[in-house]
Amino acid sequence: MAAQRKTSRYVVPVAVAGIAAATIGLVPALAASGDPDLPEITAQQLIEKIAASDTQTLSGTFKVSTDLGLPAFDGLLGGIAGGAAGGEGSADPSAQLTKLVSGTHTLKIAADGPDRQKLTLLDGKEQYSIVHNGDEVWAYDSRSGEVFHEKGVEEAGEAPGQELPASPKQLADEVLKAAGDTTSVTVGGTAKVAGRDAYRLVIEPKQQGSTVDSVTIAVDAATGTPLKFTLDSTSGGKPVVDAGFTKVDFGKPAASEFDFTVPEGAKVTEGDDIEKSHRDAGKDLEEEFGDFGLGGALGEGLGGGLAGGDKGEMNVIGEGWTTIARFDSGAPAPKTDEAPKEVQGFLDSLGDKVSGKFGSGTVFKTKIVNALMTDDGKVYVGAVTPQALVDAANAAK
């Protein structure tokens, strides 16, 4: 369990991909005409091609753009994560990789099976690198000159690349892991991605009320490896997630790619010390926000409810793309008017006051995932419209 906690620190969750992983019907379709000119393939065959792909080695450049439709909150998240890790200049991955939840970022990636991966986040002249080699993880922040080190991560037994931010392959697996009748799956033509011929697998909800417009996966025609993943919202505008290779090579990277030498004069922080800092920072946040209910409702409530803890089992309403999770947080909704000014402004920018048969509450919204927290502590969460959440709350009365 300790090793699993260590490994999970390096994962940047793409929650929208998990929620978008609604049941997918395998609707056959022929590839549309386009450039490049590839043999026709059905959606079923293309999905089987993805499932059969076993790419263990690669290197290349990867671009990630995320637009959840949220107000700017880099300062808020960076302050929390940076404080927990010992400051914004910390090399701790949990502090640095929160940057990927918004904006556009370019990364260099190299992988050689389950034991060796390297990721470099490029930010102008500065770089942040994570190297997993055997049972060790090293991270280096060139801006601060700090180094993070942890041993024992191989014990978690995660899949190749699991320690790094989600790749198109991981995102595709999340969406394709279940099947049903609520989704249309077609082959939407072909494309060139990172200089390689690819098919476009297009996944669309058949149900009304979902915030997901479509998921498009560009699949390498030769290897079946997903090269690009795009998640579009019904609200339009930029994709919620647009993650893909701009350059890729499936050859074996040189072993030296995964070597790490601590730069002269760099400060090295061990992972166990970071764990203690995280625990202490969590206690500080609970003390700061507990007086106005934020810690109880959003912390214990969301965490305990989703885990089916003492506050009550999570109930699932609906199916497929319009699935809603309902649970009782066991605490009143946070009183945002009693929060610190910067937190109050952030929460108010996310939420809309709503009312109905259920009473009253606040809908916290993004372009994909929305959550209704009623004033009496009930929580409804799903990749659905705010009205669908209100309807679910009314029906529960």
Side-chain angles (χ1 to χ4, degrees):
M1 291 297 295
Q4 288 178 339
R5 286 194 296 271
K6 287 182 180 181
T7 302
S8 66
R9 183 184 303 137
Y10 315 119
V11 179
V12 176
V14 185
V16 291
I19 293 176
T23 50
I24 295 174
L26 306 182
V27 182
L30 296 180
S33 60
D35 186 19
D37 185 15
L38 296 173
E40 291 183 343
I41 191 172
T42 67
Q44 175 72 51
Q45 291 169 333
L46 188 51
I47 290 172
E48 291 173 353
K49 193 176 186 72
I50 296 173
S53 65
D54 188 29
T55 299
Q56 295 286 315
T57 63
L58 63 82
S59 58
T61 305
F62 190 76
K63 187 175 181 180
V64 181
S65 295
T66 308
D67 180 11
L68 294 173
L70 293 168
F73 58 90
D74 288 346
L76 181 64
L77 287 185
I80 294 174
E88 291 186 5
S90 169
D92 177 21
S94 63
Q96 291 286 339
L97 296 180
T98 55
K99 298 174 182 177
L100 299 182
V101 303
S102 64
T104 299
H105 305 275
T106 300
L107 307 94
K108 292 180 65 178
I109 294 178
D112 182 11
D115 297 326
R116 287 181 290 276
Q117 301 96 30
K118 180 178 181 179
L119 176 147
T120 301
L121 174 60
L122 307 175
D123 185 9
K125 295 181 180 179
E126 309 297 339
Q127 294 186 359
Y128 175 75
S129 297
I130 306 176
V131 179
H132 171 211
N133 193 346
D135 68 342
E136 293 186 279
V137 165
W138 293 92
Y140 174 63
D141 177 34
S142 68
R143 179 179 283 105
S144 65
E146 294 198 9
V147 172
F148 169 91
H149 176 241
E150 187 152 48
K151 295 195 69 173
V153 295
E154 90 291 353
E155 298 171 14
E158 298 287 348
Q162 190 70 15
E163 296 82 4
L164 304 181
S167 66
K169 167 66 173 171
Q170 290 171 295
L171 294 169
D173 286 345
E174 286 296 315
V175 175
L176 296 174
K177 67 182 179 181
D181 298 325
T182 63
T183 306
S184 166
V185 180
T186 59
V187 179
T190 62
K192 277 279 190 183
V193 178
R196 297 184 65 88
D197 293 349
Y199 292 103
R200 298 175 70 253
L201 187 68
V202 181
I203 302 161
E204 298 174 300
K206 291 181 179 179
Q207 298 165 294
Q208 297 295 317
S210 172
T211 53
V212 176
D213 179 71
S214 65
V215 174
T216 303
I217 304 168
V219 183
D220 186 70
T223 67
T225 303
L227 299 174
K228 189 174 183 180
F229 177 97
T230 305
L231 171 62
D232 286 301
S233 167
T234 54
S235 63
K238 297 179 180 178
V240 177
V241 179
D242 192 18
F245 288 99
T246 56
K247 295 180 181 179
V248 65
D249 184 336
F250 293 110
K252 183 183 180 73
S256 59
E257 185 75 16
F258 309 101
D259 292 338
F260 183 83
T261 301
V262 176
E264 185 176 355
K267 175 186 175 183
V268 179
T269 302
E270 295 295 328
D272 290 343
D273 296 333
I274 295 290
E275 288 282 2
K276 183 178 184 303
S277 296
H278 285 168
R279 289 194 298 270
D280 293 343
K283 292 178 182 177
D284 292 342
L285 287 172
E286 183 177 354
E287 291 176 0
E288 180 176 357
F289 297 145
D291 290 340
F292 60 91
L294 183 63
L298 292 185
E300 293 181 13
L302 289 174
L306 288 174
D310 295 338
K311 300 297 188 299
E313 294 290 334
M314 181 180 71
N315 297 316
V316 176
I317 302 170
E319 63 176 352
W321 299 87
T322 56
T323 297
I324 296 172
R326 175 188 181 275
F327 58 89
D328 188 344
S329 71
K335 300 176 182 179
T336 59
D337 57 342
E338 298 177 16
K341 184 174 297 184
E342 64 274 13
V343 176
Q344 179 180 336
F346 174 70
L347 292 176
D348 287 345
S349 67
L350 291 179
D352 288 334
K353 299 295 183 181
V354 294
S355 61
K357 294 179 181 179
F358 69 89
S360 59
T362 303
V363 172
F364 297 95
K365 56 192 184 299
T366 73
K367 290 174 67 174
I368 286 291
V369 182
N370 294 314
L372 165 62
M373 180 175 286
T374 66
D375 289 344
D376 61 356
K378 305 296 189 301
V379 180
Y380 299 80
V381 182
V384 298
T385 63
Q387 186 58 51
L389 296 175
V390 171
D391 292 343
N394 285 335
K397 296 302 288 185

